[in-house]
Amino acid sequence: MEHKFPHRKKGLNIVIVGCGKVGLSLVDKLSKENHDITIIDRDAGKVQDITNLFDVNGVVGNGANFSTLQEAGIDNADILIAVTNSDELNLLCCVVAKRVTDCAVIARVRTPEYSQDAAYLKSKLGLAMIINPDLESAREISRILCLPSAVGVTPFARGLAEMIRFRIPEGNRLDGRRLRELGQELAGAVLICAVERGGEVYIPDGSFLLKAGDVVSFIAPTRGSKQFLRRIGLETHQVRDALIIGGSKTGYYLAKQLLRVGVNVELIESNRQHCEELSTQLPKATILNGDGTDADLLREAGIEHVGAVVPLTGIDEENIMLTLHTQAVSRAKVVTKINRIMFPEAIDRLNLGSVVYPKALVTDAIVAYVRSRNASKDSSNIETLLHLFDNRVEAIEFVASESSPVVGRPLRDLPTRDHLLVACIGHKGNILIPGGDDAIQPGDSVIIVTTHTGLSDLSDILA
């Protein structure tokens, strides 16, 4: 269903350089939000395919070439997004664009050496954002392994609040209970804000009956999440050891983060030279040279007893098969990285548990920036955007300003849209699960969970 917001500004002029997976995903999302989009790529076939699929303009050429950018309308662009497979080309595109226009520029940068200098590059090159899909994936996986009962963990309000997604096990104390009966478990510090069951998604009220197998999303202050999970009988201790299969950029970033928090790391990589490099870069990790899909090698590496297994081979099908194999021989927590989001329903039926989509992480971050840029500067900014349940639910963090029409009014007096929850308010460093008497104040972080898509301003929550 399309939702109209009559006060919204006209869409932005956006130039996207690169027609790969991320570029295609961005075109898909942003074109649905009424932005004027021009794509640039050296591959004429890719440009033709995308312009046939979507109502966008296409230019064949080098995105770092001034004449190519002019042909794409850079003089009138609001944002340039460079997401080619080359970090250097992405940065160069942004530099050239900034030389000739005041548009905001965003670069996808994956190389660890560049990522270490991300703040410096962002400042010196005038970038609005540097986004690294491998680093963001590693952070997401690391958060899950620190809370292995969770399917997913997303921070909000600068890390003071988080949204946790978990599946209700058979026989759990939540099975067969209505939300209004959970006073002791919820204790006023947790809000269950979305439930997926049998392919349907619900924004639940107090009468909603929970069942085993439901995928539940709740939001809470960071310190309260583990307390709630312990109260309902789920494991909250981080894993002690992890087996990473594949020495990709994501594997490197993940190993580095896990070692930092005291997790023992074993990593399997098939390329011997790369193993030697990883041994130097990760001296505290155990690096094994071999085929990570070899069942005997996995057994020797301790797959039957390790606390977590993360397949990062770079091939989705291999990652999925490794996940299924691990589930058959071990009780390890498994997180599966999938690069292509082509058959989400089939993947859901496999019950892989925690699945991380790098493309979705990058797309959500960029779409959040674009929406914030497109909204009224005097009303609110989008800090975080999270798509849930195959894009059917959005969790959005806004920062309210004095001019917002929702400020200073008790929530019970706000005529909010159906299928929408004001899930959490961050006020001066404190996190509040709000009730009807609470009011949003200027500067507050406000987290909205809704089945409506495309909200770009806090006032969009009003009916």
Side-chain angles (χ1 to χ4, degrees):
M1 179 182 293
E2 184 179 0
H3 304 285
K4 300 292 185 180
F5 304 103
H7 59 276
R8 177 173 298 171
K9 285 185 174 183
K10 182 182 180 295
L12 301 175
N13 293 317
I14 301 173
V15 175
I16 299 175
V17 184
C19 291
K21 298 183 184 71
V22 174
L24 178 59
S25 179
L26 285 169
V27 170
D28 183 27
K29 291 280 178 64
L30 295 175
S31 62
K32 292 175 182 175
E33 300 190 7
N34 300 317
H35 300 292
D36 293 326
I37 298 172
T38 300
I39 58 168
I40 300 174
D41 200 281
R42 289 170 170 167
D43 189 324
K46 289 183 178 179
V47 172
Q48 185 66 49
D49 289 342
I50 291 181
T51 54
N52 287 339
L53 283 172
F54 303 97
D55 183 18
V56 300
N57 300 312
V59 174
V60 178
N62 182 348
N65 183 281
F66 175 61
S67 60
T68 302
L69 289 175
Q70 277 195 314
E71 185 180 351
I74 194 65
D75 292 334
N76 299 313
D78 296 295
I79 303 175
L80 177 135
I81 306 169
V83 288
T84 74
N85 290 327
S86 167
D87 291 349
E88 291 79 7
L89 180 57
N90 292 337
L91 292 170
L92 186 56
C93 289
C94 291
V95 169
V96 174
K98 289 298 288 185
R99 290 280 183 177
V100 298
T101 182
D102 289 331
C103 74
V105 292
I106 297 172
R108 183 178 72 163
V109 175
R110 302 177 61 194
T111 305
E113 289 82 0
Y114 291 147
S115 294
Q116 292 170 4
D117 298 326
Y120 175 83
L121 290 172
K122 183 177 176 183
S123 172
K124 292 301 181 182
L125 301 183
L127 304 177
M129 179 188 296
I130 289 181
I131 189 75
N132 185 331
D134 302 289
L135 181 56
E136 295 304 318
S137 298
R139 286 172 174 165
E140 174 78 1
I141 295 168
S142 178
R143 287 192 292 265
I144 294 170
L145 297 185
C146 287
L147 196 61
S149 295
V151 173
V153 181
T154 303
F156 287 91
R158 302 185 184 276
L160 296 175
E162 56 189 5
M163 177 174 284
I164 310 292
R165 298 179 295 288
F166 71 97
R167 188 181 298 274
I168 299 178
E170 290 286 346
N172 185 266
R173 61 192 305 174
L174 296 186
D175 184 13
R177 299 186 66 184
R178 299 190 185 277
L179 290 186
R180 66 166 62 99
E181 302 170 0
L182 299 178
Q184 181 180 355
E185 285 85 350
L186 301 179
V190 171
L191 179 69
I192 292 179
C193 46
V195 179
E196 182 184 39
R197 175 189 301 158
E200 297 294 326
V201 179
Y202 306 89
I203 304 294
D205 58 17
S207 65
F208 189 88
L209 183 69
L210 297 170
K211 296 181 180 180
D214 288 351
V215 178
V216 174
S217 296
F218 74 88
I219 198 158
T222 300
R223 294 180 180 178
S225 301
K226 288 187 177 181
Q227 184 179 358
F228 169 66
L229 291 172
R230 278 195 298 268
R231 194 175 288 140
I232 63 174
L234 297 183
E235 177 64 48
T236 60
H237 296 292
Q238 76 173 29
V239 299
R240 295 181 179 179
D241 45 17
L243 174 62
I244 301 172
I245 306 172
S248 61
K249 293 182 178 70
T250 304
Y252 164 76
Y253 288 126
L254 177 60
K256 194 172 181 180
Q257 292 190 34
L258 293 178
L259 290 168
R260 189 180 299 132
V261 296
V263 177
N264 296 318
V265 173
E266 198 168 17
L267 189 151
I268 299 175
E269 165 58 35
S270 59
N271 184 288
R272 185 172 187 82
Q273 181 179 348
H274 191 37
C275 281
E276 294 174 357
E277 294 170 355
L278 289 170
S279 295
T280 302
Q281 295 167 340
L282 302 166
K284 294 184 179 180
T286 300
I287 310 298
L288 302 177
N289 179 221
D291 180 1
T293 63
D294 185 304
D296 291 333
L297 177 60
L298 291 174
R299 192 179 304 109
E300 291 176 15
I303 193 172
E304 296 174 358
H305 309 290
V306 74
V309 175
V310 186
L312 299 172
T313 68
I315 301 174
D316 290 350
E317 292 79 6
E318 283 190 357
N319 290 343
I320 291 171
M321 293 305 296
L322 283 166
T323 294
L324 296 175
H325 173 69
T326 303
Q327 291 174 340
V329 303
S330 170
R331 298 183 61 185
K333 171 69 178 182
V334 190
V335 184
T336 311
K337 176 189 170 191
I338 296 179
N339 291 307
R340 292 171 294 167
I341 315 176
M342 297 182 66
F343 306 105
E345 297 86 0
I347 291 172
D348 286 345
R349 284 197 293 272
L350 289 175
N351 193 19
L352 300 178
S354 297
V355 179
V356 171
Y357 297 98
K359 182 171 66 175
L361 295 173
V362 172
T363 303
D364 283 355
I366 294 175
V367 170
Y369 176 84
V370 172
R371 285 193 195 173
S372 184
R373 176 104 177 177
N374 194 39
S376 169
K377 294 180 181 179
D378 298 325
S379 181
S380 60
N381 288 318
I382 295 178
E383 293 289 307
T384 308
L385 170 66
L386 174 66
H387 284 97
L388 300 166
F389 306 123
D390 193 23
N391 296 317
R392 288 172 290 172
V393 174
E394 289 187 351
I396 316 169
E397 178 185 354
F398 294 98
V399 177
S401 72
E402 292 184 10
S403 63
S404 175
V406 306
V407 163
R409 300 167 62 184
L411 293 182
R412 69 172 73 256
D413 295 337
L414 290 179
T416 56
R417 303 171 68 87
D418 293 334
H419 310 296
L420 181 148
L421 288 175
V422 180
C424 181
I425 296 175
H427 179 72
K428 295 182 177 180
N430 296 313
I431 299 299
L432 173 69
I433 304 299
D437 295 327
D438 294 305
I440 298 167
Q441 302 299 329
D444 284 355
S445 295
V446 184
I447 301 169
I448 304 299
V449 179
T450 179
T451 55
H452 300 286
T453 59
L455 276 68
S456 64
D457 190 279
L458 188 53
S459 59
D460 286 340
I461 71 172
L462 300 175

